[in-house]
Amino acid sequence: MSVPTTTCSRLARGAAALATVPFLLVACSSTEDTATRTAAEQVSLSDQWVKAAPSGMSAAFGTLTNDSDQAITVVSGSSPASSSIELHEMITKADGTKLMQPKPGGYTIPAHSSLTLKPGADHIMFIGLHQALRTGSDTPITIVFGDGSSETFTAQVRDFPGNQEDYGTEGEHGPQPTHAPGA
């Protein structure tokens, strides 16, 4: 029994259409997966560490990488190692002096880009340490994103003599770092 040519071509077109359905589903699901993932699921942290300190204040550093198609903002943080955490930046005043202050609005990490937190620049400031941060120990830090999601990571405590930053309090470990008014 022979099948008419028009029937064969209709069957071939139908088979071709059915063959593309799995590819369309995969394409749609990956776009939807990216759009529905939280900021915490799309940002990774590498090379994280915290400056060793006997008391008072310290700071955490590392590289935040945003693998998403949109900018992501880090708005706050916390750690059991300190009473509070602030997201800080360093600015240079007109007279050339450097000023450490809270970063208004937090840190924005552009799409498919990274933000490096480092001494003398953007950093996560620990205020009111509950105990000494000793070299070689680990400290948990939670960062909160603009969408309300959060990520907790562990940072190793390291000695760091560079920049001679003193995060101590007046009288205990030298002068308080310069902050903007109200900080």
Side-chain angles (χ1 to χ4, degrees):
M1 169 165 142
S2 80
V3 179
T5 307
T6 56
T7 305
C8 284
S9 64
R10 284 186 196 150
L11 288 173
R13 283 191 301 236
L18 284 174
T20 61
V21 169
F23 295 108
L24 291 173
L25 291 174
V26 168
C28 290
S29 68
S30 15
T31 303
E32 288 174 18
D33 287 347
T34 302
T36 60
R37 290 175 50 206
T38 65
E41 294 170 319
Q42 298 182 77
V43 172
S44 60
L45 181 71
S46 59
D47 303 322
Q48 65 268 25
W49 62 282
V50 177
K51 183 178 178 183
S55 63
M57 297 189 202
S58 186
F61 312 99
T63 301
L64 295 160
T65 301
N66 175 2
D67 292 324
S68 78
D69 295 331
Q70 58 190 1
I72 292 178
T73 303
V74 178
V75 296
S76 66
S78 64
S79 174
S82 65
S83 297
S84 65
I85 281 186
E86 292 180 357
L87 306 178
H88 278 196
E89 66 179 345
M90 294 292 287
I91 61 168
T92 303
K93 294 173 32 176
D95 65 2
T97 59
K98 290 198 175 236
L99 175 73
M100 177 176 34
Q101 67 181 17
K103 174 80 172 165
Y107 303 130
T108 298
I109 311 163
H112 301 289
S113 190
S114 295
L115 170 70
T116 300
L117 305 175
K118 59 186 177 183
D122 292 341
H123 58 277
I124 298 172
M125 191 78 192
F126 285 64
I127 300 170
L129 292 175
H130 295 303
Q131 61 188 21
L133 294 176
R134 302 199 189 288
T135 302
S137 63
D138 291 327
T139 300
I141 303 168
T142 300
I143 54 175
V144 179
F145 299 94
D147 68 355
S149 65
S150 64
E151 179 69 26
T152 299
F153 59 91
T154 301
Q156 185 180 58
V157 178
R158 298 180 188 168
D159 283 327
F160 181 72
N163 288 359
Q164 298 302 311
E165 294 168 326
D166 185 355
Y167 300 131
T169 56
E170 185 66 37
E172 274 185 345
H173 305 287
Q176 181 82 7
T178 306
H179 284 82

